[in-house]
Amino acid sequence: MATIETPRDVTGEVVPVVVPTRRPRWRGLLRSRKLAAGLAVVGFFAVVAVLGPLLVDDPNLVSDDRLLAPSAEHLLGTTTTGQDVFRQLVVATRGSMLVGLVVGLLATVVSVLVGVLGGYAGGHADESLSLVSNVFLVLPGLPLVVLITDYVQTRGALAIALIVSITAWAGSARVLRAQTLSLRSRDYVDAARVSGEPGWRIVTFEILPNLLPLIAAQFVFAVIGGILTEAALAFLGLGGAGSWGTMLYFAQNSQALSQGAWWWFVPPGLCIALVGAGLALINFSLDELINPRLRVARRPRRTGPA
């Protein structure tokens, strides 16, 4: 057995050896201010979506307080039928966030199955799955979703999420397929294949861990697209009840802008913008993790006089 000689200086004293350690990439991500701000914004709306509807009264209750400005009794004013805008906003948060979450999960799962499995399998399976994803890529997304939503009778939150997910996975699948084609030719994948590892184990333990940052970024992007698409459908009168887009739809139908009732349409629009900004900040942080060229070098702090 070979022995490691302890380094000593000219006086014979032992010199401490500093072994360099490789910091994981996730440590730099946890220090990102963009990620902290994005998680704070999205986490706030997630808490409101879970607990908010349990703490407010029925938002559909009508009263004689019609089209009142924000006050102590009605924090965000009332509608033309006397409904409290704050209650509607809290309940609508759950609907919009639920649609975005379901769209993100479904689109991510389908894109991983089509992109990763097709890219690793290759051959006719890859060509067939790539053809399907290319067909969905060239289809006009919003017009197709509008057509399907108009045809379907059920317009609940889950039904809208399923419809939006139909066209939300193709772009992510193409990106994951390209990355998988690059990873399948790496040396450690070839070594696992030569050693007799089954294909499912190679995909699970060798390829997917290297795709996690990219999959997370695609999930966040799908959530943003789901919330915005649902808001667009609801604004056109094709969405389900209880979402930010539904509030904008009724505000537009009641001519809230011409009547000066800004408290009716500004809060839901601002919530959509804030959630989109928070998710975009999270996505930017994940992009910096994936692409080292996007990282900004930190300047060293001065410890002494200049």
Side-chain angles (χ1 to χ4, degrees):
M1 179 182 299
T3 59
I4 301 176
E5 183 179 357
T6 304
R8 300 176 181 273
D9 58 7
V10 293
T11 61
E13 297 181 357
V14 178
V15 178
V17 179
V18 179
V19 180
T21 58
R22 182 181 179 182
R23 295 185 304 174
R25 294 190 297 174
W26 291 99
R27 175 179 292 186
L29 181 63
L30 295 177
R31 295 179 180 178
S32 174
R33 296 181 180 178
K34 297 178 183 178
L35 179 65
L39 288 178
V41 174
V42 177
F44 170 76
F45 282 99
V47 172
V48 173
V50 174
L51 301 178
L54 304 177
L55 303 177
V56 298
D57 297 331
D58 187 5
N60 297 321
L61 293 177
V62 297
S63 64
D64 295 332
D65 301 332
R66 299 179 179 179
L67 212 62
L68 296 180
S71 61
E73 185 178 359
H74 302 283
L75 297 179
L76 293 178
T78 60
T79 65
T80 53
T81 57
Q83 296 173 334
D84 190 86
V85 176
F86 177 75
R87 298 174 187 174
Q88 291 184 348
L89 186 68
V90 172
V91 175
T93 302
R94 172 178 289 185
S96 296
M97 296 294 288
L98 178 61
V99 171
L101 179 62
V102 174
V103 171
L105 290 175
L106 292 178
T108 302
V109 171
V110 175
S111 62
V112 169
L113 292 177
V114 174
V116 177
L117 296 183
Y120 178 77
H124 295 291
D126 182 32
E127 294 178 359
S128 302
L129 294 176
S130 180
L131 176 61
V132 174
S133 61
N134 289 336
V135 170
F136 278 90
L137 276 176
V138 299
L139 290 176
L142 186 58
L144 179 62
V145 171
V146 170
L147 181 63
I148 297 175
T149 306
D150 189 34
Y151 180 78
V152 176
Q153 299 296 329
T154 304
R155 295 181 182 178
L158 295 180
I160 295 297
L162 289 175
I163 295 173
V164 175
S165 302
I166 295 176
T167 59
W169 60 271
S172 301
R174 293 289 296 174
V175 175
L176 292 175
R177 174 183 176 273
Q179 191 66 20
T180 304
L181 291 176
S182 175
L183 292 175
R184 62 175 293 187
S185 60
R186 302 291 175 87
D187 293 338
Y188 59 88
V189 176
D190 292 336
R193 190 181 297 110
V194 170
S195 63
E197 294 288 344
W200 66 267
R201 186 176 180 84
I202 296 176
V203 172
T204 304
F205 295 99
E206 302 295 343
I207 295 180
L208 279 182
N210 293 281
L211 295 176
L212 284 181
L214 185 59
I215 294 174
Q218 298 297 331
F219 168 76
V220 173
F221 185 77
V223 172
I224 299 175
I227 294 176
L228 295 179
T229 305
E230 189 278 331
L233 291 175
F235 185 75
L236 295 175
L238 300 175
S243 67
W244 293 328
T246 306
M247 294 182 63
L248 294 174
Y249 169 74
F250 285 110
Q252 188 268 340
N253 281 353
S254 301
Q255 299 180 355
L257 180 60
S258 61
Q259 298 185 41
W262 57 266
W263 57 85
W264 195 352
F265 58 86
V266 169
L270 184 61
C271 288
I272 295 175
L274 288 176
V275 171
L279 292 172
L281 290 175
I282 297 176
N283 206 359
F284 292 158
S285 302
L286 294 174
D287 287 341
E288 292 179 359
L289 178 67
I290 299 171
N291 188 359
R293 298 180 180 178
L294 299 178
R295 303 174 193 171
V296 180
R298 297 178 178 270
R299 295 183 178 181
R301 296 181 179 180
R302 295 181 178 180
T303 57

